[in-house]
């Protein structure tokens, strides 16, 4: 009786899903579905029916009725898409053992294929994707096929790769044989010979193998007339991290590689699920680094106005690591932009890209700073909120606070959590300014405000934070007062504060007039403006056709699910969505994206070795819903060869059509990035 009730409930739920599927299952023919692939195998029904690459196989497919059965072009997505159920009236006997159904011998639908079985032939259960990972009753045949399918899947924290950095000596070095794509690996290379080779002006960097999927390129370069080690990664993108660059000033007569950088890279590679490296993020060392306990970690920053000429750089996106002194950790955690700008004042504006070992700290104790009122430096329970993309321009008689429209939610969080009398907001580095306000801590602990500039006569100055305070009394004779106190402070009346907050909530521009009530000539304007955000953060190039993805909102995918075969692994690392597409249900959209990614990985699993050997380790998949374009897949700026597109056709088209046709809104476009790694 309990099984019967569950069966009826699931039948109702399945019926709703099948209404959306009906148009795609009954409408276009298999040949039409093939043609919806933009890259197109171009073989119509023959291409769709090809299942040589399928990791699973269903028995007795040809001898049963086509109603409610997954056709061959849906074999590889068994369990991914809800099947069409065979009507009870068309199943008088079990479709496995042939026993006749009676009042006591009840019918049961397999949740994977939709056929009807007796209780004995459908007594097994399996976690199915279209049930959001929940277990569903499946028949014996489907259970066997699903088990085979699961053999190419495993869960692990990260691609299992041995650390190849020895306790004594250098990691293996990769050397090209002169033939494209052919390399030799030299274990235990001579450090002395490699140093001599670098000092003699070797044009290309040395390539060290840190693990089977992570390389480190090393070269000696001159940066701002300083001799530096340049150490860059290659392989972080494949686990969802940015690539990293460390420029380290050489010590006098240094004759050994900075191997601690290699170990730090390995640690970040392993920590990819718990530690995501971003602009102005801090990674701390666990022990002594570069021979000193004072070296606490790296502060990672984007390059802005610095010259990158002559540096062997990885593919975008990448970040530079700046060495942080242990006494500076509090600032690196609470307000890293201040530390970055202070480094710029010490070495080069806006900040250096190189690091100096054994230097004196630029900040000591927290001392007498206005930040003590805005940040909890002891437990970090609260900090100065920073709105991404917000900048401050200080000019003569006019200050402009520019807030990107995309920062509205961040700003509202800051407004709602702020004290009713004080509104303090952290800004970002202003790359359009000629100079920037920075704070220098004197020996007595006091903070002094200075300005560092590119030119001798700055015209526009940036500030890294702004404070509005409603402590100004109406009887003081001022409309408002502005001053520089490490950053910009604007004192306003209680009434003006209420007007400002109202304008921010309503996303309206607002202007505060500063100066005495009786002196209109010396007044200064503080303008709050909402602006369109410049899309400069996402510098990824599509592997499908080389198009820029700057205008696409992308998300790193730190999945623990990986798919392996023939010593190779394929990982889904990033997803980009067209912001103009109307997504009615984000949860539904996310589930659909996961199904697309799984289907892509499963279809290509048998081909991973060949793809990697042919230099197609980075793959892109672009799917367009609610249109005839279907999908396109590629690598190195070219569509994938026909043999791979044929395998993808049979898997992706059913998943794409399972969403159903949405009439309202623009077509939704998503782009997924995958990498093939060594297992």
């Amino acid at each position: 009786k309990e099984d019967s009730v569950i069966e009826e409930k699931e039948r109702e739920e399945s019926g709703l899903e099948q209404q959306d599927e009906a148009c795609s299952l009954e409408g276009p023919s298999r040949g039409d579905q093939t043609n919806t692939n933009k890259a197109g195998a171009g073989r119509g029904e023959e291409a769709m029916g090809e299942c040589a690459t399928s990791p699973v196989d269903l028995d007795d497919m040809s001898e049963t009725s086509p109603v409610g059965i997954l056709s061959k072009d849906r074999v590889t997505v068994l369990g991914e898409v809800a099947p069409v159920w065979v009507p009870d009236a068309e199943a008088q006997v079990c479709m496995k053992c042939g026993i006749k159904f009676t009042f006591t011998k009840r019918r049961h639908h397999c949740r994977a294929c939709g056929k009807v079985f007796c209780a004995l032939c459908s007594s097994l259960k399996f976690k199915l994707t279209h049930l959001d990972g929940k277990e569903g009753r499946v028949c014996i045949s489907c259970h066997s096929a699903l088990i085979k399918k699961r053999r190419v899947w495993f869960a692990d924290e990260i691609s299992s790769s041995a650390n190849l950095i020895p306790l004594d000596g250098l990691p293996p070095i990769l050397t090209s044989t002169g033939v494209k794509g052919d390399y030799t690996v030299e274990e235990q290379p001579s450090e002395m010979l490699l140093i001599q080779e670098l000092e003699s002006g070797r044009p290309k960097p040395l390539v060290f193998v840190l693990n089977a999927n992570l390389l480190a390129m090393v070269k000696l370069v001159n940066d701002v007339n300083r001799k530096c080690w340049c150490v860059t990664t290659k392989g972080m993108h494949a686990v969802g991290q940015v690539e990293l660059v460390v420029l380290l000033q050489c010590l006098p007569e240094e004759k050994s590689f900075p191997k601690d950088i290699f170990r730090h890279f390995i640690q970040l590679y392993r920590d990819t699920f718990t530690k995501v490296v971003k602009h102005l993020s801090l990674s701390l060392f666990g022990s002594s680094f570069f021979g000193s306990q004072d070296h606490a970690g790296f502060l990672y920053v984007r390059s802005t106005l610095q010259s990158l000429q002559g540096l062997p750089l990885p593919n975008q996106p990448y970040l530079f690591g700046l060495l942080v002194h242990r006494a500076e950790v509090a600032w690196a955690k609470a307000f890293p932009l201040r530390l970055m700008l202070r480094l710029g004042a010490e070495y080069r504006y806006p900040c250096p890209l190189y690091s100096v070992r054994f230097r004196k700290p630029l900040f000591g104790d927290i001392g007498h700073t206005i930040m003590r009122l805005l940040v909890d430096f002891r437990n970090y329970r609260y900090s100065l909120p920073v709105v991404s993309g917000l900048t401050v321009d200080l000019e003569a008689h006019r200050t402009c606070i520019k807030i990107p429209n995309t920062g509205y939610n961040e700003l509202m969080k800051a407004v709602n959590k702020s004290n009713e009398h004080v509104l303090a907001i952290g800004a970002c580095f202003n790359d359009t300014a000629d100079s920037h306000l920075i704070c220098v801590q004197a020996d007595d602990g006091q903070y002094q405000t200075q300005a560092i500039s590119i030119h001798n006569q700055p015209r526009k100055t940036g500030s890294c934070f702004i404070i509005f305070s409603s402590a100004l009394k109406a009887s003081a004779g001022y409309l408002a007062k502005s001053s520089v106190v490490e950053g910009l402070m604007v004192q306003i009346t209680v009434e003006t504060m209420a007007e400002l907050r109202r304008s921010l909530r309503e996303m309206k521009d607002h202007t505060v007039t500063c100066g005495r009530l009786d002196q209109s000539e010396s007044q200064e304007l503080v303008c709050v403006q909402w602006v369109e955000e410049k899309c400069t953060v996402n510098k990824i190039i599509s592997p499908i056709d080389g198009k820029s993805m700057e205008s696409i909102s992308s998300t790193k995918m730190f999945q623990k699910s990986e798919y392996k075969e023939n010593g190779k692994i394929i990982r889904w690392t990033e997803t980009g969505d067209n912001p103009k597409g109307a997504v009615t249900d984000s949860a539904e959209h996310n589930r659909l994206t996961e199904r697309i990614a799984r289907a892509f990985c499963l279809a290509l699993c048998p081909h991973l070795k060949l793809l990697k050997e042919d230099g197609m380790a980075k793959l892109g998949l672009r799917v367009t819903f609610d249109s005839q374009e279907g999908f396109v897949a590629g690598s190195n700026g070219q569509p994938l060869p026909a043999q791979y597109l044929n395998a993808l056709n049979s898997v992706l088209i059913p998943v794409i059509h399972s969403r159903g046709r949405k009439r309202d809104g623009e077509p939704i476009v998503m782009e997924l990035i995958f990498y093939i790694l060594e297992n």
Side-chain angles (χ1 to χ4, degrees):
K1 184 176 180 181
E2 181 182 355
D3 288 344
S4 167
V5 172
I6 294 173
E7 183 99 359
E8 289 297 327
K9 184 178 179 182
E10 291 187 354
R11 191 196 307 272
E12 293 176 4
E13 293 175 350
S14 177
L16 295 175
E17 293 181 11
Q18 290 169 25
Q19 289 178 8
D20 288 338
E21 288 186 14
C23 61
S24 60
L25 292 174
E26 298 174 6
S29 66
R30 287 166 62 186
D32 292 335
Q33 289 179 356
T34 305
N35 293 332
T36 60
N37 175 8
K38 191 175 181 181
R43 294 171 57 194
E45 184 173 344
E46 183 182 355
M48 292 293 288
E50 195 172 284
C51 284
T53 61
S54 170
V56 295
D57 187 21
L58 293 179
D59 55 345
D60 299 327
M61 288 282 292
S62 59
E63 298 177 6
T64 51
S65 168
V67 180
I69 300 174
L70 291 174
S71 59
K72 287 186 178 182
D73 59 351
R74 298 185 67 183
V75 170
T76 52
V77 286
L78 181 69
E80 300 276 335
V81 180
V84 179
W85 282 17
V86 173
D88 288 355
E90 297 183 17
Q92 301 301 319
V93 298
C94 172
M95 300 177 79
K96 180 68 177 176
C97 67
I99 191 170
K100 187 175 181 180
F101 294 127
T102 65
F103 182 76
T104 55
K105 292 285 184 182
R106 301 190 62 83
R107 298 172 176 84
H108 298 278
H109 281 86
C110 171
R111 273 62 170 176
C113 68
K115 293 189 286 185
V116 183
F117 302 92
C118 66
L120 190 63
C121 293
S122 60
S123 60
L124 301 171
K125 291 188 175 183
F126 201 90
K127 291 182 179 180
L128 301 173
T129 303
H130 75 84
L131 296 179
D132 296 330
K134 297 178 183 177
E135 286 190 337
R137 178 190 290 269
V138 295
C139 65
I140 295 173
S141 299
C142 285
H143 189 270
S144 175
L146 289 165
I147 287 293
K148 292 179 184 177
K149 185 174 173 180
R150 193 170 64 175
R151 286 175 186 167
V152 301
W153 175 88
F154 76 105
D156 196 359
E157 288 189 355
I158 195 62
S159 307
S160 306
S161 300
N163 179 357
L164 300 179
I165 306 173
L167 294 175
D168 185 24
L170 294 172
I173 192 166
L174 206 63
T175 306
S176 174
T177 61
V179 179
K180 185 178 180 180
D182 190 25
Y183 299 91
T184 60
V185 177
E186 179 187 352
E187 296 189 22
Q188 300 178 341
S190 167
E191 187 167 22
M192 183 180 69
L193 292 177
L194 292 180
I195 293 287
Q196 291 176 355
E197 191 174 346
L198 287 176
E199 289 182 334
S200 65
R202 174 188 170 98
K204 293 185 178 181
L206 297 171
V207 182
F208 291 97
V209 185
L210 305 188
N211 66 34
N213 298 300
L214 182 63
L215 306 177
M217 272 72 76
V218 181
K219 188 179 180 182
L220 287 174
V221 299
N222 281 309
D223 186 63
V224 198
N225 298 321
R226 293 171 184 259
K227 183 181 179 182
C228 297
W229 295 101
C230 182
V231 188
T232 67
T233 63
K234 183 177 182 181
M236 289 291 191
H237 285 171
V239 291
Q241 290 276 31
V242 296
E243 300 293 351
L244 304 173
V245 183
V246 173
L247 280 170
L248 190 68
Q249 183 177 344
C250 294
L251 299 174
E253 304 301 322
E254 187 169 22
K255 296 297 181 183
S256 62
F257 285 83
K259 292 187 285 291
D260 283 352
I261 298 179
F262 296 158
R263 298 186 181 94
H264 186 63
F265 286 165
I266 282 284
Q267 191 60 47
L268 289 179
Y269 184 92
R270 289 174 172 170
D271 293 346
T272 185
F273 296 117
T274 58
K275 187 179 297 181
V276 183
V277 178
K278 298 179 180 179
H279 175 55
L280 293 180
S281 66
L282 174 69
S283 63
L284 296 173
F285 309 140
S287 58
S288 175
F289 206 80
F290 296 143
S292 173
Q293 294 286 348
D294 288 336
H295 300 141
F298 282 123
L299 176 67
Y300 289 98
V301 302
R302 284 194 295 263
S303 58
T304 51
L305 305 174
Q306 303 93 338
S307 172
L308 303 178
Q309 188 174 1
L311 300 181
L313 299 174
N315 294 330
Q316 290 276 15
Y318 57 82
L319 295 174
F320 285 84
L322 304 180
L323 195 59
V324 174
H325 195 283
R326 195 159 299 278
E328 301 163 351
V329 168
W331 285 108
K333 286 183 177 180
F335 202 45
L337 181 59
R338 168 170 283 195
L339 177 58
M340 186 192 93
L341 292 171
R342 178 65 184 89
L343 284 165
E346 189 72 14
Y347 296 103
R348 189 174 178 86
Y349 177 80
C351 81
L353 296 180
Y354 58 85
S355 298
V356 179
R357 287 170 279 183
F358 307 107
R359 62 173 175 82
K360 292 182 180 180
L362 300 178
F363 293 124
D365 294 333
I366 299 305
H368 302 285
T369 169
I370 194 173
M371 281 292 171
R372 294 185 68 176
L373 304 175
L374 309 173
V375 177
D376 174 18
F377 284 101
R378 187 179 298 273
N379 299 311
Y380 301 101
R381 291 174 299 179
Y382 59 89
S383 184
L384 182 67
V386 177
V387 176
S388 302
L390 186 148
T391 58
V392 180
D393 294 341
L394 285 77
E395 300 178 78
H397 304 297
R398 179 183 173 88
T399 295
C400 190
I401 302 163
K402 297 179 181 178
I403 311 172
N405 295 333
T406 53
Y408 178 80
N409 291 336
E410 283 182 295
L411 182 64
M412 284 302 100
K413 288 180 182 179
V415 171
N416 295 333
K417 290 183 179 180
S418 65
N419 182 295
E420 61 177 319
H421 300 295
V422 178
L423 177 58
I425 302 171
C428 301
F429 176 73
N430 189 346
D431 57 6
T432 65
D434 309 294
S435 63
H436 222 286
L437 296 179
I438 58 103
C439 282
V440 177
Q441 189 178 23
D443 294 336
D444 60 0
Q446 298 286 342
Y447 283 81
Q448 302 170 353
T449 307
Q450 300 178 6
I452 50 175
S453 62
I454 306 175
H455 309 293
N456 295 327
Q457 297 179 341
R459 299 176 298 278
K460 183 191 296 183
T461 301
S463 174
C464 56
F465 68 91
I466 182 169
I467 300 174
F468 289 99
S469 170
S470 63
L472 185 66
K473 303 296 183 183
S475 58
Y478 283 88
L479 294 167
K481 294 174 66 175
S482 68
S483 57
V484 173
V485 187
E486 302 178 17
L488 178 65
M489 175 178 280
V490 183
Q491 298 180 55
I492 55 179
T493 62
V494 174
E495 293 77 14
T496 305
M497 175 67 83
E499 293 174 2
L500 172 64
R501 288 175 179 266
R502 189 181 307 113
S503 296
L504 293 176
R505 292 184 189 280
E506 296 175 358
M507 208 171 178
K508 294 180 179 178
D509 293 353
H510 188 86
T511 299
V512 176
T513 304
C514 302
R516 295 190 64 88
L517 286 166
D518 55 354
Q519 293 182 355
S520 59
E521 294 181 359
S522 60
Q523 288 179 345
E524 177 188 346
L525 300 179
V526 177
C527 305
V528 178
Q529 297 179 347
W530 293 91
V531 297
E532 291 291 333
E533 184 181 26
K534 296 184 298 182
C535 297
T536 57
V537 177
N538 189 1
K539 297 184 178 181
I540 297 176
I541 301 298
S542 170
I544 299 172
D545 48 21
K547 289 183 179 178
S548 171
M549 297 174 66
E550 279 190 354
S551 60
I552 296 177
S553 173
S554 66
T555 304
K556 296 288 186 183
M557 307 307 302
F558 299 101
Q559 61 171 40
K560 294 188 178 182
S561 304
E562 297 174 329
Y563 302 82
K564 67 175 182 178
E565 197 162 306
N566 298 325
K568 301 291 185 288
I569 300 170
I570 184 168
R571 295 193 77 250
W572 171 33
T573 63
E574 192 160 357
T575 298
D577 284 304
N578 182 357
K580 295 182 180 179
V583 182
T584 55
D585 185 346
S586 58
E588 176 192 359
H589 181 70
N590 291 340
R591 287 195 296 269
L592 183 62
T593 307
E594 290 176 3
R595 291 179 188 177
I596 292 285
R598 283 197 199 96
F600 185 88
C601 293
L602 286 168
L604 292 187
C605 259
H607 310 284
L608 297 182
K609 191 171 186 295
L610 188 58
L611 283 164
K612 185 84 183 289
E613 289 175 352
D614 287 345
M616 291 180 279
K618 182 180 180 181
L619 306 166
L621 171 67
R622 187 180 300 144
V623 180
T624 306
F625 297 96
D626 307 327
S627 77
Q628 297 300 316
E629 294 184 42
F631 74 89
V632 58
S635 180
N636 300 318
Q638 300 290 331
L640 291 182
Q643 66 187 94
Y644 307 119
L645 292 175
N646 292 342
L648 291 172
N649 251 323
S650 60
V651 174
L652 291 177
I653 295 300
V655 182
I656 294 172
H657 284 188
S658 71
R659 178 178 181 270
R661 183 63 59 87
K662 308 291 184 182
R663 295 183 178 179
D664 299 329
E666 297 183 25
I668 296 175
V669 182
M670 67 171 65
E671 183 150 340
L672 286 68
I673 304 296
F674 302 83
Y675 280 87
I676 302 174
L677 307 177
E678 297 294 330
N679 181 19

